[in-house]
Amino acid sequence: MNEDNELSEESVQEREPDDSTPIPAFSLRDMGYREPKEGIDQKLCSRNEYKEHIIRGMNRIISQQQKTDIAVYVRGYKFVCHLCVLKTCTEFAKNLHFPNSLIIAHEDVTPTGFQLAYEWMIHKDSTLKRKDIVELYLAAEYMNVPDLLDHVWHLFNEKKLVNDAMAFQIYLECLPHRRSMLQDLMLRRVHRFFLMAVTTEEYLQLELKNVSEMLSHSNMCVNSELEIYYSAVRWLHHDWPQRKTHAPRIMGVVHLHLLPFQCINSIREELPELHNIPEVQRLINDALAREKTRRAASLRQWVYDSQIPHHHSCVCPKWRCLDLAGFDQYLELIIAAGPNYSQSLRYLRGGYTMPCCRSALLRKS
């Protein structure tokens, strides 16, 4: 019995392995298994606290500028940044292929502008000072940050934030960068600050193109076209030897046909060096020929101050024809009153006439 068992075990050990399979093997597909067309259709769940922890950690790394992977140089200033942030927020960085450093040498991008733009990208609540808004706008425009551009453009349009004085300041800041759309937006907002602007050194230093642009703009608030005329004269006289050749072009943007007819002869006599220029003489003669239609269109934002003599109707006893000396005195009054003077000007609406002027008109009729 024992011997038989030993033989049996021996024969099992010596038997060659059989490579054949008792039944054939099929793949899952061959057996008819298919993925459900609609999938499992279940959301993967995890503890929300854990995911919020990850998000907070990522925000902390980005906002505290830890483990940064790119250095950006702007006019010699170094900013350490995350490339993923630049790629996410700007069109400018989308095609950058993992550089270690980047130099922005464009003339419109300043260190302040780049810093403010990047802080806007990585902080929920970043702050902005008025004096930096143009630099931020130019940096956002160069780097093509759509959301930031929309936000800054909204600030430019916000009348409570950008008043008439600030609009003139922003206009001046735009000039070196030739941003015509923004310049026009700001000129449209100058309104009652116009004559205050005329008193400034910055106005006197404007280039021909820019002063022409300003004087021709329909949103400049004046009481009569004489104030535009003398604003043009003020700019010309600031450097008459160099600027007298520009006189025809500057006078060309003044609506001379809107000048009070009673004043035309006096201004000719007052400024012979200007009115003896043939091209200016032709402009005045054309204006006289159009005198009958001089009030046909409202080409300005008309305003008045009852304390100013030339703001009264020419039939009113208080009226005085404005001359260059009177205009200079008016500017001195504006300077003495300070920036708030513009708020004392009232818009002329619906043919409004001051009571004293109305009485004079009734007496005349």
Side-chain angles (χ1 to χ4, degrees):
M1 186 86 176
N2 291 335
E3 289 179 1
D4 292 341
N5 287 339
E6 289 176 2
L7 289 172
S8 177
E9 290 175 2
E10 216 174 57
S11 61
V12 170
Q13 290 175 357
E14 293 176 356
R15 184 180 299 166
E16 294 290 333
D18 189 355
D19 292 334
S20 63
T21 306
I23 57 175
F26 295 93
S27 68
L28 286 172
R29 184 173 183 82
D30 292 338
M31 293 176 65
Y33 176 79
R34 298 290 186 274
E35 289 284 351
K37 290 183 179 180
E38 298 181 358
I40 299 175
D41 198 23
Q42 293 292 319
K43 293 182 179 179
L44 293 175
C45 298
S46 66
R47 287 164 43 199
N48 288 334
E49 296 83 357
Y50 179 69
K51 288 192 172 181
E52 290 174 1
H53 169 72
I54 294 176
I55 293 171
R56 284 196 301 270
M58 293 174 65
N59 283 337
R60 183 173 62 254
I61 290 171
I62 290 174
S63 62
Q64 295 180 6
Q65 293 179 274
Q66 301 172 3
K67 304 182 184 304
T68 54
D69 56 0
I70 184 172
V72 180
Y73 295 90
V74 183
R75 299 188 185 182
Y77 287 81
K78 178 182 178 181
F79 300 92
V80 290
C81 307
H82 289 98
L83 182 58
C84 62
V85 171
L86 294 173
K87 282 181 171 289
T88 301
C89 297
T90 77
E91 296 296 323
F92 161 79
K94 276 189 166 45
N95 295 324
L96 296 179
H97 299 294
F98 305 104
N100 294 322
S101 63
L102 172 67
I103 298 174
I104 297 180
H106 196 278
E107 61 181 4
D108 288 341
V109 183
T110 65
T112 297
F114 178 83
Q115 181 179 11
L116 289 171
Y118 191 72
E119 286 179 353
W120 175 86
M121 298 177 206
I122 64 176
H123 294 300
K124 182 179 180 181
D125 297 308
S126 55
T127 57
L128 174 65
K129 295 179 180 178
R130 206 298 309 157
K131 67 181 182 67
D132 298 326
I133 191 170
V134 172
E135 290 184 63
L136 173 60
Y137 172 76
L138 294 171
E141 183 183 61
Y142 174 74
M143 294 191 293
N144 197 353
V145 190
D147 290 344
L148 180 55
L149 281 171
D150 289 344
H151 181 60
V152 176
W153 197 257
H154 173 76
L155 294 179
F156 284 137
N157 276 289
E158 182 54 63
K159 292 183 179 180
K160 292 181 179 179
L161 296 176
V162 180
N163 59 25
D164 49 6
M166 193 181 298
F168 180 62
Q169 180 65 39
I170 293 174
Y171 170 75
L172 294 174
E173 292 171 8
C174 291
L175 294 181
H177 307 285
R178 302 176 299 279
R179 292 301 187 274
S180 58
M181 186 181 299
L182 184 54
Q183 289 166 209
D184 184 67
L185 175 64
M186 292 300 105
L187 280 184
R188 283 190 273 128
R189 302 282 294 282
V190 170
H191 285 286
R192 291 180 293 178
F193 191 78
F194 169 69
L195 287 174
M196 179 64 76
V198 171
T199 69
T200 65
E201 179 69 21
E202 288 83 355
Y203 170 79
L204 296 176
Q205 297 300 331
L206 286 174
E207 298 291 332
L208 171 65
K209 174 184 176 182
N210 303 128
V211 75
S212 300
E213 180 181 51
M214 191 171 186
L215 294 174
S216 65
H217 206 286
S218 61
N219 274 26
M220 299 300 109
C221 288
V222 290
N223 177 259
S224 76
E225 196 67 15
L226 271 173
E227 293 177 351
I228 295 289
Y229 168 81
Y230 281 117
S231 296
V233 170
R234 175 173 167 79
W235 183 85
L236 287 169
H237 277 185
H238 183 67
D239 188 2
W240 177 250
Q242 295 297 319
R243 293 179 176 179
K244 62 183 178 182
T245 57
H246 302 317
R249 180 170 173 182
I250 290 294
M251 289 295 115
V253 303
V254 179
H255 301 307
L256 295 170
H257 66 287
L258 297 184
L259 294 178
F261 181 73
Q262 300 90 331
C263 299
I264 289 182
N265 286 333
S266 64
I267 64 175
R268 276 177 158 171
E269 296 171 1
E270 181 183 40
L271 298 169
E273 73 278 10
L274 173 62
H275 291 276
N276 285 340
I277 298 173
E279 293 91 337
V280 176
Q281 288 180 352
R282 281 196 291 272
L283 290 170
I284 292 290
N285 291 335
D286 290 344
L288 289 171
R290 297 175 60 191
E291 195 274 331
K292 292 183 179 180
T293 62
R294 68 186 186 86
R295 289 293 180 186
S298 180
L299 300 174
R300 302 289 183 191
Q301 292 283 338
W302 305 113
V303 294
Y304 72 95
D305 179 348
S306 61
Q307 304 301 312
I308 306 302
H310 70 271
H311 283 195
H312 289 259
S313 170
C314 61
V315 299
C316 180
K318 294 182 179 180
W319 179 75
R320 297 292 180 274
C321 183
L322 185 65
D323 57 15
L324 183 57
F327 183 71
D328 288 342
Q329 291 174 3
Y330 183 32
L331 294 187
E332 289 175 359
L333 182 151
I334 291 173
I335 293 169
N340 292 328
Y341 174 75
S342 62
Q343 302 307 310
S344 67
L345 293 171
R346 297 289 177 263
Y347 288 99
L348 281 168
R349 305 291 191 192
Y352 172 80
T353 306
M354 286 180 275
C356 56
C357 302
R358 193 182 310 121
S359 299
L361 286 168
L362 288 173
R363 287 195 299 271
K364 184 180 179 181
S365 60

PDB file of all heavy atoms in Angstrom, residues 309-340:
ATOM      1  N   PRO A 309     -19.201 139.857 -16.651  1.00  0.00           N
ATOM      2  CA  PRO A 309     -19.884 140.805 -17.550  1.00  0.00           C
ATOM      3  C   PRO A 309     -20.114 140.268 -18.963  1.00  0.00           C
ATOM      4  O   PRO A 309     -21.196 140.455 -19.524  1.00  0.00           O
ATOM      5  CB  PRO A 309     -18.951 142.031 -17.548  1.00  0.00           C
ATOM      6  CG  PRO A 309     -18.237 141.956 -16.241  1.00  0.00           C
ATOM      7  CD  PRO A 309     -18.042 140.487 -15.977  1.00  0.00           C
ATOM      8  N   HIS A 310     -19.113 139.654 -19.558  1.00  0.00           N
ATOM      9  CA  HIS A 310     -19.292 139.228 -20.951  1.00  0.00           C
ATOM     10  C   HIS A 310     -20.195 138.013 -21.085  1.00  0.00           C
ATOM     11  O   HIS A 310     -20.492 137.596 -22.210  1.00  0.00           O
ATOM     12  CB  HIS A 310     -17.936 138.976 -21.631  1.00  0.00           C
ATOM     13  CG  HIS A 310     -17.205 137.764 -21.129  1.00  0.00           C
ATOM     14  ND1 HIS A 310     -16.330 137.805 -20.061  1.00  0.00           N
ATOM     15  CD2 HIS A 310     -17.208 136.473 -21.560  1.00  0.00           C
ATOM     16  CE1 HIS A 310     -15.815 136.599 -19.854  1.00  0.00           C
ATOM     17  NE2 HIS A 310     -16.333 135.774 -20.753  1.00  0.00           N
ATOM     18  N   HIS A 311     -20.662 137.452 -19.976  1.00  0.00           N
ATOM     19  CA  HIS A 311     -21.607 136.341 -20.043  1.00  0.00           C
ATOM     20  C   HIS A 311     -23.049 136.829 -20.207  1.00  0.00           C
ATOM     21  O   HIS A 311     -23.957 136.025 -20.415  1.00  0.00           O
ATOM     22  CB  HIS A 311     -21.506 135.474 -18.780  1.00  0.00           C
ATOM     23  CG  HIS A 311     -20.316 134.573 -18.782  1.00  0.00           C
ATOM     24  ND1 HIS A 311     -20.168 133.510 -17.924  1.00  0.00           N
ATOM     25  CD2 HIS A 311     -19.203 134.564 -19.561  1.00  0.00           C
ATOM     26  CE1 HIS A 311     -19.014 132.903 -18.157  1.00  0.00           C
ATOM     27  NE2 HIS A 311     -18.403 133.529 -19.143  1.00  0.00           N
ATOM     28  N   HIS A 312     -23.251 138.119 -20.096  1.00  0.00           N
ATOM     29  CA  HIS A 312     -24.596 138.680 -20.252  1.00  0.00           C
ATOM     30  C   HIS A 312     -24.896 138.913 -21.735  1.00  0.00           C
ATOM     31  O   HIS A 312     -23.990 138.945 -22.575  1.00  0.00           O
ATOM     32  CB  HIS A 312     -24.713 139.984 -19.465  1.00  0.00           C
ATOM     33  CG  HIS A 312     -24.734 139.772 -17.986  1.00  0.00           C
ATOM     34  ND1 HIS A 312     -25.887 139.794 -17.241  1.00  0.00           N
ATOM     35  CD2 HIS A 312     -23.731 139.511 -17.099  1.00  0.00           C
ATOM     36  CE1 HIS A 312     -25.605 139.573 -15.967  1.00  0.00           C
ATOM     37  NE2 HIS A 312     -24.290 139.388 -15.860  1.00  0.00           N
ATOM     38  N   SER A 313     -26.175 139.096 -22.010  1.00  0.00           N
ATOM     39  CA  SER A 313     -26.582 139.401 -23.383  1.00  0.00           C
ATOM     40  C   SER A 313     -26.037 140.769 -23.787  1.00  0.00           C
ATOM     41  O   SER A 313     -25.899 141.679 -22.962  1.00  0.00           O
ATOM     42  CB  SER A 313     -28.112 139.402 -23.476  1.00  0.00           C
ATOM     43  OG  SER A 313     -28.528 139.917 -24.724  1.00  0.00           O
ATOM     44  N   CYS A 314     -25.745 140.918 -25.082  1.00  0.00           N
ATOM     45  CA  CYS A 314     -25.155 142.172 -25.550  1.00  0.00           C
ATOM     46  C   CYS A 314     -26.100 143.359 -25.400  1.00  0.00           C
ATOM     47  O   CYS A 314     -25.667 144.518 -25.488  1.00  0.00           O
ATOM     48  CB  CYS A 314     -24.698 142.032 -26.997  1.00  0.00           C
ATOM     49  SG  CYS A 314     -26.022 141.637 -28.149  1.00  0.00           S
ATOM     50  N   VAL A 315     -27.397 143.136 -25.146  1.00  0.00           N
ATOM     51  CA  VAL A 315     -28.340 144.236 -24.945  1.00  0.00           C
ATOM     52  C   VAL A 315     -28.486 144.574 -23.464  1.00  0.00           C
ATOM     53  O   VAL A 315     -29.149 145.557 -23.120  1.00  0.00           O
ATOM     54  CB  VAL A 315     -29.725 143.891 -25.543  1.00  0.00           C
ATOM     55  CG1 VAL A 315     -29.601 143.646 -27.043  1.00  0.00           C
ATOM     56  CG2 VAL A 315     -30.338 142.683 -24.847  1.00  0.00           C
ATOM     57  N   CYS A 316     -27.868 143.769 -22.595  1.00  0.00           N
ATOM     58  CA  CYS A 316     -27.985 143.971 -21.151  1.00  0.00           C
ATOM     59  C   CYS A 316     -27.004 145.058 -20.697  1.00  0.00           C
ATOM     60  O   CYS A 316     -25.858 145.108 -21.170  1.00  0.00           O
ATOM     61  CB  CYS A 316     -27.690 142.664 -20.423  1.00  0.00           C
ATOM     62  SG  CYS A 316     -27.798 142.791 -18.616  1.00  0.00           S
ATOM     63  N   PRO A 317     -27.412 145.933 -19.778  1.00  0.00           N
ATOM     64  CA  PRO A 317     -26.499 146.975 -19.285  1.00  0.00           C
ATOM     65  C   PRO A 317     -25.240 146.408 -18.624  1.00  0.00           C
ATOM     66  O   PRO A 317     -24.210 147.101 -18.570  1.00  0.00           O
ATOM     67  CB  PRO A 317     -27.357 147.732 -18.245  1.00  0.00           C
ATOM     68  CG  PRO A 317     -28.770 147.434 -18.617  1.00  0.00           C
ATOM     69  CD  PRO A 317     -28.764 146.065 -19.217  1.00  0.00           C
ATOM     70  N   LYS A 318     -25.295 145.183 -18.134  1.00  0.00           N
ATOM     71  CA  LYS A 318     -24.142 144.592 -17.465  1.00  0.00           C
ATOM     72  C   LYS A 318     -23.117 144.011 -18.446  1.00  0.00           C
ATOM     73  O   LYS A 318     -22.021 143.630 -18.054  1.00  0.00           O
ATOM     74  CB  LYS A 318     -24.601 143.473 -16.513  1.00  0.00           C
ATOM     75  CG  LYS A 318     -25.437 143.976 -15.354  1.00  0.00           C
ATOM     76  CD  LYS A 318     -25.798 142.810 -14.429  1.00  0.00           C
ATOM     77  CE  LYS A 318     -26.623 143.303 -13.233  1.00  0.00           C
ATOM     78  NZ  LYS A 318     -26.988 142.189 -12.333  1.00  0.00           N
ATOM     79  N   TRP A 319     -23.504 143.933 -19.720  1.00  0.00           N
ATOM     80  CA  TRP A 319     -22.636 143.275 -20.708  1.00  0.00           C
ATOM     81  C   TRP A 319     -21.420 144.131 -21.043  1.00  0.00           C
ATOM     82  O   TRP A 319     -21.504 145.357 -21.145  1.00  0.00           O
ATOM     83  CB  TRP A 319     -23.412 142.993 -21.984  1.00  0.00           C
ATOM     84  CG  TRP A 319     -22.581 142.344 -23.061  1.00  0.00           C
ATOM     85  CD1 TRP A 319     -22.158 141.067 -23.117  1.00  0.00           C
ATOM     86  CD2 TRP A 319     -22.083 142.987 -24.249  1.00  0.00           C
ATOM     87  NE1 TRP A 319     -21.419 140.838 -24.257  1.00  0.00           N
ATOM     88  CE2 TRP A 319     -21.352 142.013 -24.970  1.00  0.00           C
ATOM     89  CE3 TRP A 319     -22.165 144.288 -24.758  1.00  0.00           C
ATOM     90  CZ2 TRP A 319     -20.733 142.289 -26.176  1.00  0.00           C
ATOM     91  CZ3 TRP A 319     -21.548 144.565 -25.965  1.00  0.00           C
ATOM     92  CH2 TRP A 319     -20.837 143.577 -26.661  1.00  0.00           C
ATOM     93  N   ARG A 320     -20.284 143.486 -21.198  1.00  0.00           N
ATOM     94  CA  ARG A 320     -19.073 144.125 -21.705  1.00  0.00           C
ATOM     95  C   ARG A 320     -18.469 143.201 -22.763  1.00  0.00           C
ATOM     96  O   ARG A 320     -18.352 141.989 -22.549  1.00  0.00           O
ATOM     97  CB  ARG A 320     -18.045 144.346 -20.592  1.00  0.00           C
ATOM     98  CG  ARG A 320     -18.507 145.288 -19.494  1.00  0.00           C
ATOM     99  CD  ARG A 320     -18.646 146.727 -20.004  1.00  0.00           C
ATOM    100  NE  ARG A 320     -19.078 147.622 -18.945  1.00  0.00           N
ATOM    101  CZ  ARG A 320     -20.352 147.838 -18.599  1.00  0.00           C
ATOM    102  NH1 ARG A 320     -21.328 147.198 -19.245  1.00  0.00           N
ATOM    103  NH2 ARG A 320     -20.660 148.666 -17.625  1.00  0.00           N
ATOM    104  N   CYS A 321     -18.077 143.789 -23.888  1.00  0.00           N
ATOM    105  CA  CYS A 321     -17.442 142.975 -24.926  1.00  0.00           C
ATOM    106  C   CYS A 321     -16.087 142.493 -24.414  1.00  0.00           C
ATOM    107  O   CYS A 321     -15.302 143.278 -23.861  1.00  0.00           O
ATOM    108  CB  CYS A 321     -17.258 143.796 -26.201  1.00  0.00           C
ATOM    109  SG  CYS A 321     -16.547 142.850 -27.571  1.00  0.00           S
ATOM    110  N   LEU A 322     -15.854 141.239 -24.562  1.00  0.00           N
ATOM    111  CA  LEU A 322     -14.620 140.648 -24.056  1.00  0.00           C
ATOM    112  C   LEU A 322     -13.443 141.030 -24.949  1.00  0.00           C
ATOM    113  O   LEU A 322     -13.502 140.893 -26.170  1.00  0.00           O
ATOM    114  CB  LEU A 322     -14.758 139.125 -23.992  1.00  0.00           C
ATOM    115  CG  LEU A 322     -13.594 138.346 -23.373  1.00  0.00           C
ATOM    116  CD1 LEU A 322     -13.436 138.699 -21.893  1.00  0.00           C
ATOM    117  CD2 LEU A 322     -13.821 136.842 -23.532  1.00  0.00           C
ATOM    118  N   ASP A 323     -12.384 141.511 -24.330  1.00  0.00           N
ATOM    119  CA  ASP A 323     -11.139 141.752 -25.048  1.00  0.00           C
ATOM    120  C   ASP A 323     -10.036 140.936 -24.376  1.00  0.00           C
ATOM    121  O   ASP A 323     -10.287 140.223 -23.405  1.00  0.00           O
ATOM    122  CB  ASP A 323     -10.794 143.240 -25.102  1.00  0.00           C
ATOM    123  CG  ASP A 323     -10.691 143.871 -23.712  1.00  0.00           C
ATOM    124  OD1 ASP A 323     -10.596 143.123 -22.713  1.00  0.00           O
ATOM    125  OD2 ASP A 323     -10.718 145.113 -23.624  1.00  0.00           O
ATOM    126  N   LEU A 324      -8.805 141.050 -24.894  1.00  0.00           N
ATOM    127  CA  LEU A 324      -7.719 140.225 -24.379  1.00  0.00           C
ATOM    128  C   LEU A 324      -7.430 140.542 -22.916  1.00  0.00           C
ATOM    129  O   LEU A 324      -7.223 139.635 -22.099  1.00  0.00           O
ATOM    130  CB  LEU A 324      -6.462 140.422 -25.226  1.00  0.00           C
ATOM    131  CG  LEU A 324      -5.252 139.550 -24.848  1.00  0.00           C
ATOM    132  CD1 LEU A 324      -5.600 138.079 -24.905  1.00  0.00           C
ATOM    133  CD2 LEU A 324      -4.074 139.866 -25.760  1.00  0.00           C
ATOM    134  N   ALA A 325      -7.444 141.830 -22.559  1.00  0.00           N
ATOM    135  CA  ALA A 325      -7.201 142.201 -21.163  1.00  0.00           C
ATOM    136  C   ALA A 325      -8.303 141.651 -20.261  1.00  0.00           C
ATOM    137  O   ALA A 325      -8.031 141.146 -19.160  1.00  0.00           O
ATOM    138  CB  ALA A 325      -7.120 143.732 -21.041  1.00  0.00           C
ATOM    139  N   GLY A 326      -9.545 141.740 -20.732  1.00  0.00           N
ATOM    140  CA  GLY A 326     -10.658 141.201 -19.950  1.00  0.00           C
ATOM    141  C   GLY A 326     -10.578 139.690 -19.805  1.00  0.00           C
ATOM    142  O   GLY A 326     -10.919 139.130 -18.753  1.00  0.00           O
ATOM    143  N   PHE A 327     -10.111 139.034 -20.869  1.00  0.00           N
ATOM    144  CA  PHE A 327      -9.965 137.581 -20.799  1.00  0.00           C
ATOM    145  C   PHE A 327      -8.884 137.197 -19.796  1.00  0.00           C
ATOM    146  O   PHE A 327      -9.056 136.264 -19.006  1.00  0.00           O
ATOM    147  CB  PHE A 327      -9.624 137.020 -22.183  1.00  0.00           C
ATOM    148  CG  PHE A 327      -9.531 135.521 -22.234  1.00  0.00           C
ATOM    149  CD1 PHE A 327     -10.662 134.735 -22.119  1.00  0.00           C
ATOM    150  CD2 PHE A 327      -8.304 134.892 -22.407  1.00  0.00           C
ATOM    151  CE1 PHE A 327     -10.587 133.348 -22.174  1.00  0.00           C
ATOM    152  CE2 PHE A 327      -8.211 133.503 -22.457  1.00  0.00           C
ATOM    153  CZ  PHE A 327      -9.359 132.736 -22.338  1.00  0.00           C
ATOM    154  N   ASP A 328      -7.772 137.936 -19.805  1.00  0.00           N
ATOM    155  CA  ASP A 328      -6.709 137.657 -18.833  1.00  0.00           C
ATOM    156  C   ASP A 328      -7.204 137.871 -17.405  1.00  0.00           C
ATOM    157  O   ASP A 328      -6.880 137.091 -16.494  1.00  0.00           O
ATOM    158  CB  ASP A 328      -5.498 138.553 -19.110  1.00  0.00           C
ATOM    159  CG  ASP A 328      -4.747 138.144 -20.369  1.00  0.00           C
ATOM    160  OD1 ASP A 328      -4.945 136.992 -20.820  1.00  0.00           O
ATOM    161  OD2 ASP A 328      -3.972 138.970 -20.894  1.00  0.00           O
ATOM    162  N   GLN A 329      -8.003 138.913 -17.183  1.00  0.00           N
ATOM    163  CA  GLN A 329      -8.566 139.153 -15.860  1.00  0.00           C
ATOM    164  C   GLN A 329      -9.509 138.019 -15.451  1.00  0.00           C
ATOM    165  O   GLN A 329      -9.537 137.610 -14.287  1.00  0.00           O
ATOM    166  CB  GLN A 329      -9.318 140.490 -15.842  1.00  0.00           C
ATOM    167  CG  GLN A 329      -8.410 141.700 -15.953  1.00  0.00           C
ATOM    168  CD  GLN A 329      -9.200 142.997 -16.076  1.00  0.00           C
ATOM    169  OE1 GLN A 329     -10.429 143.004 -16.026  1.00  0.00           O
ATOM    170  NE2 GLN A 329      -8.479 144.111 -16.240  1.00  0.00           N
ATOM    171  N   TYR A 330     -10.263 137.527 -16.422  1.00  0.00           N
ATOM    172  CA  TYR A 330     -11.179 136.414 -16.161  1.00  0.00           C
ATOM    173  C   TYR A 330     -10.390 135.167 -15.747  1.00  0.00           C
ATOM    174  O   TYR A 330     -10.745 134.472 -14.785  1.00  0.00           O
ATOM    175  CB  TYR A 330     -12.021 136.151 -17.406  1.00  0.00           C
ATOM    176  CG  TYR A 330     -13.065 135.061 -17.257  1.00  0.00           C
ATOM    177  CD1 TYR A 330     -13.700 134.817 -16.047  1.00  0.00           C
ATOM    178  CD2 TYR A 330     -13.430 134.287 -18.359  1.00  0.00           C
ATOM    179  CE1 TYR A 330     -14.667 133.825 -15.933  1.00  0.00           C
ATOM    180  CE2 TYR A 330     -14.391 133.299 -18.250  1.00  0.00           C
ATOM    181  CZ  TYR A 330     -15.010 133.068 -17.038  1.00  0.00           C
ATOM    182  OH  TYR A 330     -15.958 132.086 -16.929  1.00  0.00           O
ATOM    183  N   LEU A 331      -9.284 134.909 -16.427  1.00  0.00           N
ATOM    184  CA  LEU A 331      -8.456 133.754 -16.065  1.00  0.00           C
ATOM    185  C   LEU A 331      -7.858 133.935 -14.669  1.00  0.00           C
ATOM    186  O   LEU A 331      -7.740 132.967 -13.903  1.00  0.00           O
ATOM    187  CB  LEU A 331      -7.346 133.549 -17.099  1.00  0.00           C
ATOM    188  CG  LEU A 331      -7.785 133.148 -18.518  1.00  0.00           C
ATOM    189  CD1 LEU A 331      -6.560 132.809 -19.362  1.00  0.00           C
ATOM    190  CD2 LEU A 331      -8.758 131.980 -18.521  1.00  0.00           C
ATOM    191  N   GLU A 332      -7.466 135.151 -14.336  1.00  0.00           N
ATOM    192  CA  GLU A 332      -6.943 135.405 -12.997  1.00  0.00           C
ATOM    193  C   GLU A 332      -8.013 135.139 -11.931  1.00  0.00           C
ATOM    194  O   GLU A 332      -7.729 134.600 -10.856  1.00  0.00           O
ATOM    195  CB  GLU A 332      -6.446 136.852 -12.896  1.00  0.00           C
ATOM    196  CG  GLU A 332      -5.159 137.110 -13.687  1.00  0.00           C
ATOM    197  CD  GLU A 332      -4.758 138.574 -13.675  1.00  0.00           C
ATOM    198  OE1 GLU A 332      -5.495 139.387 -13.059  1.00  0.00           O
ATOM    199  OE2 GLU A 332      -3.719 138.907 -14.280  1.00  0.00           O
ATOM    200  N   LEU A 333      -9.241 135.526 -12.238  1.00  0.00           N
ATOM    201  CA  LEU A 333     -10.354 135.239 -11.327  1.00  0.00           C
ATOM    202  C   LEU A 333     -10.532 133.735 -11.153  1.00  0.00           C
ATOM    203  O   LEU A 333     -10.759 133.240 -10.038  1.00  0.00           O
ATOM    204  CB  LEU A 333     -11.633 135.879 -11.872  1.00  0.00           C
ATOM    205  CG  LEU A 333     -12.919 135.753 -11.050  1.00  0.00           C
ATOM    206  CD1 LEU A 333     -13.823 136.957 -11.317  1.00  0.00           C
ATOM    207  CD2 LEU A 333     -13.693 134.465 -11.393  1.00  0.00           C
ATOM    208  N   ILE A 334     -10.437 133.001 -12.258  1.00  0.00           N
ATOM    209  CA  ILE A 334     -10.594 131.542 -12.212  1.00  0.00           C
ATOM    210  C   ILE A 334      -9.490 130.912 -11.365  1.00  0.00           C
ATOM    211  O   ILE A 334      -9.747 130.027 -10.536  1.00  0.00           O
ATOM    212  CB  ILE A 334     -10.587 130.965 -13.642  1.00  0.00           C
ATOM    213  CG1 ILE A 334     -11.858 131.395 -14.387  1.00  0.00           C
ATOM    214  CG2 ILE A 334     -10.471 129.438 -13.614  1.00  0.00           C
ATOM    215  CD1 ILE A 334     -11.861 131.027 -15.857  1.00  0.00           C
ATOM    216  N   ILE A 335      -8.255 131.382 -11.550  1.00  0.00           N
ATOM    217  CA  ILE A 335      -7.129 130.860 -10.778  1.00  0.00           C
ATOM    218  C   ILE A 335      -7.336 131.126  -9.289  1.00  0.00           C
ATOM    219  O   ILE A 335      -7.119 130.257  -8.443  1.00  0.00           O
ATOM    220  CB  ILE A 335      -5.809 131.475 -11.263  1.00  0.00           C
ATOM    221  CG1 ILE A 335      -5.495 130.998 -12.690  1.00  0.00           C
ATOM    222  CG2 ILE A 335      -4.664 131.110 -10.327  1.00  0.00           C
ATOM    223  CD1 ILE A 335      -4.347 131.745 -13.354  1.00  0.00           C
ATOM    224  N   ALA A 336      -7.789 132.339  -8.961  1.00  0.00           N
ATOM    225  CA  ALA A 336      -8.005 132.700  -7.558  1.00  0.00           C
ATOM    226  C   ALA A 336      -9.120 131.860  -6.937  1.00  0.00           C
ATOM    227  O   ALA A 336      -9.060 131.488  -5.760  1.00  0.00           O
ATOM    228  CB  ALA A 336      -8.337 134.183  -7.446  1.00  0.00           C
ATOM    229  N   ALA A 337     -10.150 131.548  -7.730  1.00  0.00           N
ATOM    230  CA  ALA A 337     -11.270 130.754  -7.216  1.00  0.00           C
ATOM    231  C   ALA A 337     -10.870 129.304  -6.978  1.00  0.00           C
ATOM    232  O   ALA A 337     -11.463 128.619  -6.138  1.00  0.00           O
ATOM    233  CB  ALA A 337     -12.449 130.835  -8.177  1.00  0.00           C
ATOM    234  N   GLY A 338      -9.865 128.836  -7.733  1.00  0.00           N
ATOM    235  CA  GLY A 338      -9.408 127.460  -7.538  1.00  0.00           C
ATOM    236  C   GLY A 338     -10.195 126.448  -8.362  1.00  0.00           C
ATOM    237  O   GLY A 338     -11.105 126.819  -9.122  1.00  0.00           O
ATOM    238  N   PRO A 339      -9.863 125.161  -8.204  1.00  0.00           N
ATOM    239  CA  PRO A 339     -10.474 124.108  -9.026  1.00  0.00           C
ATOM    240  C   PRO A 339     -11.991 124.039  -8.941  1.00  0.00           C
ATOM    241  O   PRO A 339     -12.638 123.540  -9.857  1.00  0.00           O
ATOM    242  CB  PRO A 339      -9.841 122.825  -8.471  1.00  0.00           C
ATOM    243  CG  PRO A 339      -8.572 123.266  -7.835  1.00  0.00           C
ATOM    244  CD  PRO A 339      -8.838 124.643  -7.290  1.00  0.00           C
ATOM    245  N   ASN A 340     -12.560 124.554  -7.850  1.00  0.00           N
ATOM    246  CA  ASN A 340     -14.017 124.463  -7.701  1.00  0.00           C
ATOM    247  C   ASN A 340     -14.760 125.492  -8.543  1.00  0.00           C
ATOM    248  O   ASN A 340     -15.996 125.464  -8.595  1.00  0.00           O
ATOM    249  CB  ASN A 340     -14.407 124.633  -6.230  1.00  0.00           C
ATOM    250  CG  ASN A 340     -13.947 123.462  -5.384  1.00  0.00           C
ATOM    251  OD1 ASN A 340     -13.885 122.330  -5.861  1.00  0.00           O
ATOM    252  ND2 ASN A 340     -13.619 123.722  -4.137  1.00  0.00           N
TER     253      ASN A 340
END
